[in-house]
Amino acid sequence: MQNLSISFLGKDGPGIVATVSSGLRDNNCNIIQLTQSILGAEFAAIFIVQAPDALSIPELQASLEKLLEKDRHDISVLIRTASSGSFSESVACEPYVVTTDGPDGPGLIAAMARVFSRHNINIDNIKAVLGHGGENHALFVLEVQVPLTVDIGRLRRELHSVGKELGLNTSVQHRDIFEAMHRITDF
């Protein structure tokens, strides 16, 4: 079996996941990981699948595109051999959550991402919520993998400094603490 990474991007609508997962099943592919999101009116998903060695990427791509077109979904498909391993497997890391909120404007994510890059920190996930807290307000939640060699105090100071320049409130918390503080309990 070969592991493939398949990305889907296009106009959102009901039935896309049903079409895609059926097409993968019809090609004897097993879904082993998947993430999917809606951004505005755009559907975005990445599937990691195990596919038969005899199945070529062009053959699978043609099959999926044909099914998506038949079901009238305007979706682009990109397939490549899946990468193995992950950043946090090759570098000893701790998971952190960084939140920023304040006035929206160009370059907010770029400024934070440059700080992470300087410290060899990998961004696992970003969620941007615009308009939360008022018009022209931005809230970003970044899940990152921080190498054990990084000085967390220095990182916090640098993120707060960059945030202050942009008018953003910034918080850096270990993921376990973040989740404990934001846990919703049933009563």
Side-chain angles (χ1 to χ4, degrees):
M1 297 292 274
Q2 59 180 324
N3 286 352
L4 301 176
S5 172
I6 310 174
S7 302
F8 300 91
L9 180 64
K11 186 173 178 7
D12 184 36
I16 297 169
V17 173
T19 298
V20 167
S21 57
S22 296
L24 292 168
R25 178 205 58 216
D26 294 348
N27 283 282
N28 297 313
C29 296
N30 183 40
I31 300 167
I32 55 176
Q33 279 187 298
L34 129 76
T35 185
Q36 182 259 312
S37 188
I38 305 302
L39 302 171
E42 294 295 311
F43 173 91
I46 301 173
F47 287 65
I48 304 294
V49 304
Q50 288 179 327
D53 288 329
L55 179 63
S56 73
I57 289 175
E59 180 183 6
L60 179 57
Q61 179 140 358
S63 173
L64 292 171
E65 287 173 345
K66 183 177 179 182
L67 279 175
L68 287 161
E69 185 178 319
K70 175 183 164 275
D71 288 353
R72 296 190 172 118
H73 297 298
D74 183 16
I75 301 289
S76 299
V77 180
L78 173 66
I79 304 175
R80 64 182 198 80
T81 302
S83 302
S84 61
S86 69
F87 176 76
S88 60
E89 289 175 353
S90 63
V91 176
C93 294
E94 287 286 331
Y96 279 78
V97 177
V98 177
T99 59
T100 65
D101 73 283
D104 188 21
L108 300 180
I109 292 175
M112 294 293 155
R114 282 192 302 274
V115 173
F116 296 137
S117 179
R118 281 193 296 273
H119 291 275
N120 197 34
I121 294 171
N122 194 53
I123 301 171
D124 283 347
N125 192 24
I126 301 175
K127 177 75 175 181
V129 182
L130 303 178
H132 177 76
E135 192 173 330
N136 295 322
H137 189 269
L139 169 66
F140 300 108
V141 180
L142 300 101
E143 297 175 45
V144 298
Q145 291 292 330
V146 179
L148 296 179
T149 57
V150 170
D151 178 339
I152 293 298
R154 181 174 172 216
L155 174 65
R156 280 191 172 102
R157 288 188 300 276
E158 193 170 336
L159 287 169
H160 285 289
S161 176
V162 169
K164 187 175 179 180
E165 290 173 18
L166 298 168
L168 301 173
N169 298 313
T170 305
S171 169
V172 180
Q173 295 176 314
H174 192 281
R175 185 181 65 201
D176 294 345
I177 294 169
F178 180 86
E179 288 176 353
M181 291 178 61
H182 295 88
R183 187 168 291 132
I184 299 174
T185 58
D186 294 326
F187 292 95

